[in-house]
Amino acid sequence: HTILMGRLKGSLSAFSRLQSNMSAWVIDEYGNNGVLRFTEEATAPSISSGDDVLIRVHAASLNPIDIAMRAGYGSILLKLRRDLMSLGQNASEFPIILGRDVSGVVVDCGSGVTHFTPGDEVWAAVPPWKQGSLAELVSLSEYEVSHKPSSLSHTEAASVPYVASTALSALVNAGGLGRDNCADKRVLIIGASGGVGTFSIQLLKAWGAHVTVTCSHNAEGLVRGVGADDVVDYTAGDVAAELGRLEKFDVVLDNVGGGSEHWAPDLLKAWSGAKYVTLVTPLLANTDSMGLLEGGVRSGLALSQVAVKNMCNGVFYRWGFYAPDGPVLDDVSRLVDTGKILPVVEATFPFAQVPLAFQKLEGGHARGKTVISVN
Ligand code: NDP
């Protein structure tokens, strides 16, 4: 049995080394859904460094950043990052493959990879500066990859990594929360019915926090189903006033931004280390519109101004960002396999219908995740 498995893994590995083309959805320019193009001749990734892991994609999922990147969001900063990775050899960033989540099977590994072997079922969040998962194959570094929870199908698993990595980075690094300090914490999630929200509710409940959320009336069943304690319908009236009648919070995670960044910090317990963390930041949009230097400086100034103003009121104001982190996904995998976190898949599209999946996501009102079954 061991010899047979070894041969199977060896042949998977050899096969991947030979494959030079693959099927993928690519974009050759920025724009609306019309720029998405299916091809069977995309350049297949290969093992180019010792810590690379090559994954055959079984399922992917879409995030708001895919819609935004299709239209050029972050192009300047992301191109800089890509150029640094390829030492400035690429004049153009195109063709770009979108798709930030993958669940699949390892087909090849670099010589220095220690945690994975061909045949392993894995999941990962693909950083926006790397080629995405709307493709047959994706290549990531070992540090970005994690063993997929065995209790989930690939389509279920693909709904989790990007929102999980974002939520964990925001709640832990920016919000100061963790599995050991949540028992007496009150957390407010603004915009809880989408991907990040439905994951964050479950994570915070697994850590023992009290979770209040805002969402539309028709999402109440969903958010209560995944554990929300208190639910405020933001469509029913003055949501800030309604939330102001509740006991104050230790952390606010804002998935909506805009006006909420002005009223939500007032809902925090002052002078107690409480934090407002927003995922809706102007950094990439500013560098797109003003260039790297001016956009970066303006964003930094805006952040420090708001941060100082909030500090004077006794609360912290922070930006949250997605961060690639395979070991963090290992922890999430355990929470999933012990039933503490469930995937929330709203819709699954076949690979042939990727543009329809984009259209669905672009329509807004997500209730969990939109997943693509790749093969
Ligand atoms: P989704 O599209 O999955 O979910 C957004 C949810 O917010 C929808 O369910 C929507 O439903 C709800 N919503 C919209 N307006 C409001 C409102 N005023 N009050 C309460 N709920 C509202 O997005 P994600 O969960 O994946 O991401 C959330 C945000 O975080 C996005 O803006 C995304 O771009 C950002 N993000 C940022 C990252 C970073 O690195 N900074 C990384 C990942 C995400 P309905 O309209 O029906 O109420």
Side-chain angles (χ1 to χ4, degrees):
H1 174 258
T2 314
I3 294 169
L4 239 165
M5 283 304 288
R7 283 197 187 137
L8 177 66
K9 288 177 180 180
S11 60
L12 278 171
S13 178
F15 174 75
S16 73
R17 280 198 189 99
L18 289 176
Q19 188 170 352
S20 59
N21 286 340
M22 65 173 182
S23 302
W25 283 90
V26 299
I27 60 168
D28 307 298
E29 59 181 316
Y30 297 120
N32 60 22
N33 237 7
V35 299
L36 288 165
R37 175 174 68 88
F38 177 75
T39 176
E40 291 180 339
E41 288 167 2
T43 306
S46 56
I47 299 295
S48 59
S49 88
D51 65 354
D52 278 354
V53 177
L54 189 64
I55 301 163
R56 181 164 296 286
V57 181
H58 282 268
S61 90
L62 293 186
N63 291 278
I65 194 170
D66 291 305
I67 309 281
M69 279 178 67
R70 193 198 63 203
Y73 173 76
S75 54
I76 292 190
L77 217 52
L78 295 176
K79 182 167 186 316
L80 178 77
R81 183 73 196 252
R82 288 184 198 111
D83 286 351
L84 286 176
M85 282 173 18
S86 59
L87 303 174
Q89 285 163 358
N90 290 344
S92 165
E93 65 266 47
F94 299 114
I96 289 176
I97 301 172
L98 300 170
R100 307 269 64 90
D101 290 287
V102 53
S103 180
V105 174
V106 174
V107 288
D108 203 356
C109 296
S111 55
V113 170
T114 53
H115 285 82
F116 304 96
T117 54
D120 286 358
E121 293 200 317
V122 292
W123 64 348
V126 183
W129 51 89
K130 291 195 168 177
Q131 289 291 42
S133 55
L134 295 176
E136 262 182 277
L137 296 164
V138 67
S139 172
L140 292 168
S141 78
E142 178 175 27
Y143 177 73
E144 292 156 347
V145 181
S146 160
H147 286 103
K148 156 188 168 293
S150 54
S151 57
L152 298 188
S153 66
H154 285 296
T155 35
E156 290 169 328
S159 69
V160 176
Y162 192 75
V163 293
S165 306
T166 302
L168 274 148
S169 160
L171 292 169
V172 177
N173 301 335
L177 297 175
R179 114 167 48 104
D180 301 324
N181 70 356
C182 274
D184 56 348
K185 295 283 192 302
R186 286 177 52 78
V187 182
L188 168 65
I189 302 173
I190 299 175
S193 46
V196 175
T198 50
F199 177 86
S200 303
I201 296 170
Q202 298 185 78
L203 180 73
L204 289 163
K205 288 312 297 175
W207 286 349
H210 182 280
V211 181
T212 302
V213 307
T214 71
C215 63
S216 301
H217 175 66
N218 67 6
E220 178 166 355
L222 170 68
V223 295
R224 282 206 191 275
V226 291
D229 296 297
D230 290 337
V231 181
V232 174
D233 172 9
Y234 78 92
T235 64
D238 185 341
V239 66
E242 189 64 30
L243 288 164
R245 283 190 262 281
L246 304 178
E247 191 187 327
K248 299 237 175 203
F249 298 94
D250 297 283
V251 171
V252 174
L253 175 65
D254 192 344
N255 298 324
V256 175
S260 48
E261 115 160 20
H262 302 293
W263 50 257
D266 296 339
L267 302 169
L268 290 167
K269 298 172 184 167
W271 307 110
S272 67
K275 296 168 191 80
Y276 166 84
V277 181
T278 181
L279 286 177
V280 184
T281 80
L283 178 62
L284 294 189
N286 280 354
T287 52
D288 288 339
S289 62
M290 300 174 212
L292 266 184
L293 192 61
E294 191 184 346
V297 170
R298 289 258 189 114
S299 304
L301 281 175
L303 173 61
S304 45
Q305 266 174 6
V306 189
V308 167
K309 183 177 149 238
N310 278 289
M311 225 183 276
C312 294
N313 295 328
V315 299
F316 292 101
Y317 171 100
R318 292 187 175 161
W319 287 350
F321 289 102
Y322 150 81
D325 195 336
V328 151
L329 287 179
D330 291 343
D331 292 339
V332 176
S333 198
R334 280 186 282 276
L335 287 169
V336 170
D337 277 339
T338 51
K340 301 237 166 66
I341 290 182
L342 299 171
V344 183
V345 177
E346 180 183 14
T348 306
F349 289 82
F351 196 43
Q353 291 181 359
V354 161
L356 277 182
F358 270 78
Q359 204 177 312
K360 190 245 166 270
L361 196 69
E362 215 160 1
H365 310 300
R367 299 288 177 263
K369 296 284 303 174
T370 295
V371 174
I372 315 287
S373 175
V374 177
N375 72 45

